[in-house]
Amino acid sequence: MSFGLLDSTLTRRGYVYTDFDEIWGERRTLEAWFEVEATLAEVQATLGIIPKEAARAIRANARVSDQFVDAVSQGGVGNPLIVGLDNIRKTIPPEHRGWVHYGATSQDILDTARALQIRESLDLMESHLIALRDTCERLAHEHAETVMVARTNGQQALPTTLGLRISRWKASLDRDLRRLQLCRDEALSVQFSGAAGTYASNGEDGPRIAEGLADQLDLTFRLLPWHADRDSITMLCCVVTILGQNLAKIAEDLFDMQRNEIGEAFEAMDAHLSGSSAMPQKRNPFAMMKTSVAARLAAGATATLLTQPPGAHERDHRQLEVERDVLPRTLVLVGGALEKLNGLFTRLTFNAAHLRRNAELDGPLILTENILMQMAPHIGHDRAHHVLQDFAAEYREKGTTLAAFVSRSPELSDALASVDLDRLSQPDSYTGLSAHLARQGEQD
């Protein structure tokens, strides 16, 4: 029986993409286990710890078939690696079976194999992140001078440009990329220190085996055991979750921009796939909604990791089981959100006319800061502030233009004779450095 969005065949394709599905599926997990086991045997053979013939036999037979996946999945034991080892030993000549998993403990293999899966996930995630960032950079330049209204606390605030908004998206993705790269070394670490982290089963050869494993698998060597010290994995989940939140920010902005009454963005979509069963006219922005949902689910999963009790003593299966669920779930959810947003931008267009229309919706009221700054040198800041409050009230009630309002007061007319009131009432007169910032972006 399937449970939840990621497990049910009815819903999982909305969140789980094929590449991530394969990385964290049963077959790839078994392949990672056996890659570590085979590499371990080869390193031990190189060091003269086990026969080279045994290492060759283990490598030759550490293969995963459909029958093997079925056999392991039906094992029915608490430690699935034991079932995997039992099945691989059956395929190896009897004289070499005793060298499989020699001097290792299950968690050493599981942690090291998981590092291989994490690396695949991060490689894929970073490539998609770079693609999305590059798209945002292109759009920021393209729309550097496309005027729109900035909104604060859900209300119209001041004019800005679409390019600046998109440049901020791009800057957040740059920060995400740097964070992912910073946590790579620690997250991609070998674990090989034995059952209690003392290297007792391999003695002085233990660190050399661990270092050889790291070298052959291109992972980070850490001398001290980290069975119960999961801060590196927790940090990775936090970094990936922050990426998810930044993707959700983009999705939420676009969600609002696509609202019928706003109409600033438009996603080409198949009404038969995105519509309502009761309302034929509906085109629901599912890509944006699912991106936001994925970020929320990832945050919830990581919160579980952060709030569970620390691992007890030298190793704690309770802690590890929670991580076993949270880590792939977080990577799969955010990886899926990345793919979904990349696909969305290939179908997305921005409506410059509607962006301009919304910037002019409240007339000159979104420009009162600009008008205040122009009036203040002539009549003083406090007086200008009071005058504009009165003007705003009259504009809302009667639609009086700023020029008409000022003309009724000879004192104001004389004081502001040199000020172009009509120009001050145009949104593109007060976008500040928006166009420059959109083109320049965040400087490293």
Side-chain angles (χ1 to χ4, degrees), residues 250-306:
I250 298 172
E252 292 288 344
D253 282 351
L254 291 171
F255 181 89
D256 276 340
M257 291 173 75
Q258 278 207 100
R259 286 167 50 189
N260 300 78
E261 62 271 28
I262 294 179
E264 296 173 345
F266 174 80
E267 177 192 357
M269 60 181 82
D270 186 343
H272 295 287
L273 298 177
S274 61
S276 163
S277 62
M279 296 170 283
Q281 86 284 3
K282 289 289 292 297
R283 291 184 307 173
N284 296 306
F286 282 121
M288 296 158 202
M289 291 192 288
K290 289 185 184 298
T291 297
S292 182
V293 170
R296 297 178 194 188
L297 292 173
T302 296
T304 302
L305 203 60
L306 285 166

Side-chain angles (χ1 to χ4, degrees), residues 36-58:
V36 175
E37 292 285 0
T39 304
L40 169 62
E42 290 169 345
V43 169
Q44 289 173 322
T46 299
L47 295 173
I49 297 169
I50 72 171
K52 292 184 177 180
E53 295 79 5
R56 284 193 288 268
I58 292 169

Side-chain angles (χ1 to χ4, degrees), residues 135-157:
T135 296
C136 287
E137 184 173 35
R138 173 180 59 80
L139 290 171
H141 284 260
E142 184 179 324
H143 292 285
E145 298 185 24
T146 303
V147 174
M148 67 175 294
V149 64
R151 300 176 177 93
T152 61
N153 300 320
Q155 304 295 306
Q156 293 201 345

